[in-house]
Amino acid sequence: MSKMSENETTIAPKIVETGLVDRLGELAPLLLVPALAVIGFAAIGSPSTWITLTAAGLAMGMMIFIMASGLTLVFGLMDVINFGHGAFIAVGAFVGFTVLGYLIGWTDEPSVLLNLAALIPAIIAAMLLSGGAGYVFERFIVKPVYGQHLKQILVTMGGLIIAQQVIVMLWGPDEIHLARPETLRGSVVIGEAAIEKYRLVAVVIGLALFIAMRLVLNRTKIGLLVRAGVENGEMVEALGYRIRRLFLAVFIVGSALAGLGGVMWGLYQETITAHMGSEIMVLIFIVVIIGGLGSVEGCFIGALLVGLLSNYVAFLMPKASLVSTIALMVIVLMWRPQGLYPVVKAK
Amino acid sequence: MPEPLLTLQGVHTHIAQYHILQGVDLAVPAGGVAVMLGRNGAGKTTTLRTIMGLWSASSGRIRFDGTDITGLDTPAIARLGIAYVPESMGIFTDLTVRENMVLAASSGPMDDARVDWIFSLFPPLKTFWSMPAGNLSGGQKQMLSVARAVIEPRRLILIDEPTKGLAPAIIKAMTAALAELAKTDTTILLVEQNFSMAKSVGQSVSVMDDGRIVHSGAMAELAADPDLQERLMGLSLEAHQ
Ligand SMILES: Nc1ncnc2c1ncn2[C@@H]1O[C@H](COP(=O)(O)OP(=O)(O)OP(=O)(O)O)[C@@H](O)[C@H]1O
Ligand SMILES: [Mg+2]
């Protein structure tokens, strides 16, 4: 070989083309949501029913995404399995409902401004307190068991039980009912289909949060650090960053988002209970596993799939709803054992 | 003689129940390239990881530039000006080449002149600046890993086998780049099995075996003494030419 060509191999850039199949593989999960919607349409038949159910499914999916996004990052970053995540959902819901209860004069008025004046402080209080609960939970419950999976499961479950008992102590053992703010009641009618206003709002909030989260993860240094940390935390430390501090921040933000999801879910059901968190957690774990542990995009798609499927099946075969989401998880894992968007892990 | 930049004194490291480093004594003088040789499994990587705080020494002392860094955690050690290029390269494959570099510049925005200098050392990084680093070839990843270590001025760079698995042409480019780096104020501790590469860039050399340093001295001395080479490294040296 001549000197010249040696130099060329050194310098000449070699473009590694991603093959068509690879690229399709990356897009395939994105197509699942429309595909499921089309299958739903075929199975349901009536367009107006389908529109109503699809809106309900998307709204439910968005709320699950908001609650689940923190959990998937917490797992990705430090391999922490947090069975106590549901506690933040309940804390957020109870705090939010309490504030709304005080401001019932404003929520019952048919004025968008007054309703917002009640909702905004309720949401802020819910997120602050669930974020604060997240801080305490991380420092006293999760931190002592970093790296020990079995202990994490036991200890975080214990934390969840304690949190539920504290809620019962403070708010009593009964369910709490609260009507939605006046302007969020009722439906908009499109042709023959009725879509609850609240569901539209939930979809808008969920989409906005997903976009914001992607921007932070892709465009800011903190976001890049989180993504880098999910892949190789050791290297992030070797570059001079404290991964545990990053993890604590993600944990707190994730808990605050769970709290926001809790308020939204509570208003969706118009009822909350101390153990609401552990009930939703089943769906949240399914979503996080479908998406690929550590992947926000996967979590988003997984949540929409679970939301749509639950609503379609609840209409077609009431009672088979949970079974159908578990079946969905099994099918996805048979196709992609690491979930829709497997996260690359060093080592 | 001035105090060495880095000294290890009687360092022992246990990984789980295994006693891997068994009293490592090592002095890396300031400036230039210090090479560490040794057969597979001798404990070279473990030594670098222990310096970086990724394993903790169970006994012994590690001093860097007059400071005892033995018990410090990894980020604190990095912030003292020590960079690490691991054997596995530690590239963030999901991030672009540029984003990898942005994170490596831990004390602030990247310096443009320095980025240009890095492009002159490793031209492919310029071409693939906005591509996901996971798409780079093995040699290009190795370049990125070294480039990350030098995006800001560092006192000491620990580099673990940067030529492993690379084609001869790329090894030449990497050797040239390391020689260029060694002209700056940066000191390099280079773990290397490719003796001809080690010979061409290193001023001092230490040889590790079974978790101990079994020889240290000037590179010229070892390079000129085939008997010593044979005795220290036996066939492993030839095998890795
Ligand atoms: N995580 C670990 N757990 C248990 N043993 C380990 C671990 N890492 C390394 N070892 C052991 O420690 C010893 C030294 O390993 P080390 O990686 O430091 O060798 P090395 O000199 O870098 O070898 P090579 O040239 O193959 O890279 C080996 O016997 C190895 O099996
Ligand atoms: Mg090694």
Side-chain angles (χ1 to χ4, degrees):
Chain A
M1 240 220 247
S2 74
K3 261 242 148 64
M4 189 56 215
S5 66
E6 266 189 16
N7 273 339
E8 259 165 24
T9 36
T10 318
I11 308 300
K14 190 169 132 266
I15 305 225
V16 190
E17 269 289 344
T18 18
L20 182 67
V21 179
D22 275 2
R23 267 179 292 161
L24 277 184
E26 248 179 55
L27 288 177
L30 289 176
L31 300 176
L32 286 178
V33 176
L36 180 60
V38 169
I39 295 171
F41 186 74
I44 290 160
S46 146
S48 61
T49 311
W50 176 77
I51 290 176
T52 305
L53 290 174
T54 302
L58 291 178
M60 176 177 166
M62 293 292 180
M63 285 185 270
I64 295 177
F65 165 71
I66 293 171
M67 295 185 267
S69 54
L71 190 71
T72 198
L73 281 179
V74 156
F75 183 87
L77 210 46
M78 294 282 282
D79 267 0
V80 166
I81 303 178
N82 181 11
F83 277 85
H85 192 70
F88 313 126
I89 295 171
V91 167
F94 274 82
V95 172
F97 266 43
T98 304
V99 174
L100 286 174
Y102 280 119
L103 301 175
I104 198 118
W106 292 351
T107 59
D108 280 346
E109 291 292 326
S111 144
V112 175
L113 273 183
L114 280 180
N115 287 178
L116 278 179
L119 274 175
I120 289 173
I123 286 173
I124 291 176
M127 291 181 76
L128 280 179
L129 277 152
S130 54
Y135 174 79
V136 173
F137 204 92
E138 204 279 340
R139 291 288 93 174
F140 294 100
I141 296 179
V142 176
K143 191 178 170 213
V145 291
Y146 278 152
Q148 301 163 277
H149 278 163
L150 184 61
K151 284 191 186 168
Q152 276 166 13
I153 294 173
L154 297 175
V155 161
T156 56
M157 278 186 163
L160 175 65
I161 294 170
I162 295 173
Q164 287 173 347
Q165 289 310 309
V166 171
I167 288 175
V168 169
M169 248 167 56
L170 293 175
W171 280 279
D174 302 327
E175 324 184 316
I176 296 181
H177 303 273
L178 189 74
R180 275 172 226 156
E182 178 62 36
T183 49
L184 291 178
R185 291 173 207 164
S187 311
V188 283
V189 179
I190 302 170
E192 290 186 4
I195 303 177
E196 278 187 45
K197 283 186 206 163
Y198 184 71
R199 289 173 176 163
L200 290 177
V201 172
V203 168
V204 170
I205 295 178
L207 257 184
L209 267 174
F210 175 62
I211 292 168
M213 217 176 279
R214 279 196 53 124
L215 283 178
V216 170
L217 285 173
N218 292 329
R219 301 282 168 81
T220 69
K221 194 156 177 176
I222 293 262
L224 293 179
L225 278 174
V226 170
R227 285 168 57 211
V230 167
E231 177 169 355
N232 190 344
E234 213 169 56
M235 197 61 219
V236 168
E237 295 238 293
L239 293 177
Y241 305 95
R242 290 220 147 69
I243 191 109
R244 290 202 173 176
R245 221 175 269 174
L246 196 64
F247 175 73
L248 177 62
V250 168
F251 201 98
I252 293 172
V253 172
S255 310
L257 286 175
L260 169 64
V263 184
M264 291 175 67
W265 190 261
L267 285 174
Y268 182 55
Q269 310 277 357
E270 301 196 311
T271 300
I272 56 175
T273 66
H275 49 264
M276 64 184 283
S278 30
E279 288 158 9
I280 310 170
M281 277 314 281
V282 178
L283 289 182
I284 290 182
F285 272 117
I286 291 176
V287 160
V288 167
I289 291 169
I290 288 180
L293 292 155
S295 161
V296 169
E297 282 82 4
C299 176
F300 183 71
I301 293 177
L304 295 185
L305 291 176
V306 164
L308 286 177
L309 188 68
S310 306
N311 278 277
Y312 293 156
V313 174
F315 172 78
L316 295 166
M317 280 184 288
K319 300 217 162 112
S321 176
L322 181 61
V323 177
S324 71
T325 52
I326 293 173
L328 174 71
M329 176 173 77
V330 171
I331 292 169
V332 167
L333 292 185
M334 274 164 32
W335 176 42
R336 296 199 166 180
Q338 309 283 322
L340 294 177
Y341 287 105
V343 169
V344 201
K345 283 269 180 194
K347 280 169 294 173
Chain B
M1 204 179 141
E3 195 197 345
L5 182 65
L6 177 79
T7 18
L8 280 72
Q9 276 173 345
V11 169
H12 290 254
T13 298
H14 288 77
I15 303 177
Q17 74 270 37
Y18 305 107
H19 191 176
I20 310 289
L21 297 190
Q22 312 194 359
V24 173
D25 293 302
L26 176 71
V28 176
V33 180
V35 173
M36 182 186 286
L37 301 167
R39 57 176 185 81
N40 292 112
K44 306 177 297 292
T45 298
T46 307
T47 304
L48 297 192
R49 285 178 60 86
T50 305
I51 297 170
M52 217 47 220
L54 292 166
W55 296 127
S56 56
S58 35
S59 66
R61 295 270 130 235
I62 305 173
R63 291 175 65 78
F64 173 68
D65 195 23
T67 322
D68 189 332
I69 62 166
T70 320
L72 295 185
D73 63 6
T74 303
I77 292 169
R79 297 256 168 197
L80 288 173
I82 306 183
Y84 178 43
V85 180
E87 201 170 352
S88 57
M89 300 182 281
I91 297 300
F92 305 123
T93 54
D94 195 29
L95 273 51
T96 65
V97 171
R98 188 187 65 81
E99 289 165 344
N100 268 273
M101 299 288 283
V102 164
L103 292 189
S106 54
S107 55
M110 289 187 288
D111 176 45
D112 286 342
R114 215 165 161 92
V115 172
D116 285 338
W117 173 65
I118 286 173
F119 286 162
S120 73
L121 294 177
F122 304 118
L125 297 187
K126 184 172 186 177
T127 316
F128 296 116
W129 196 230
S130 309
M131 270 230 312
N135 293 1
L136 296 178
S137 72
Q140 292 159 351
K141 281 192 183 120
Q142 193 59 260
M143 293 178 191
L144 175 57
S145 192
V146 174
R148 280 194 317 196
V150 297
I151 181 64
E152 287 179 340
R154 307 274 179 226
R155 311 289 313 281
L156 175 66
I157 308 179
L158 314 174
I159 309 184
D160 201 347
E161 299 199 41
T163 61
K164 200 170 81 173
L166 301 190
I170 315 252
I171 293 183
K172 257 174 58 187
M174 185 59 74
T175 310
L178 292 187
E180 187 67 29
L181 288 178
K183 289 184 204 151
T184 65
D185 292 338
T186 306
T187 304
I188 297 174
L189 174 55
L190 174 69
V191 167
E192 187 51 73
Q193 304 230 23
N194 180 321
F195 189 58
S196 64
M197 145 69 131
K199 238 177 1 191
S200 71
V201 295
Q203 285 87 56
S204 65
V205 59
S206 43
V207 181
M208 180 156 226
D209 199 20
D210 281 338
R212 287 191 190 81
I213 301 290
V214 293
H215 168 89
S216 38
M219 179 60 90
E221 195 183 306
L222 180 64
D225 190 343
D227 287 347
L228 187 59
Q229 290 171 25
E230 179 68 21
R231 192 154 50 77
L232 288 172
M233 292 162 284
L235 293 172
S236 75
L237 195 151
E238 296 305 320
H240 284 95
Q241 284 273 339

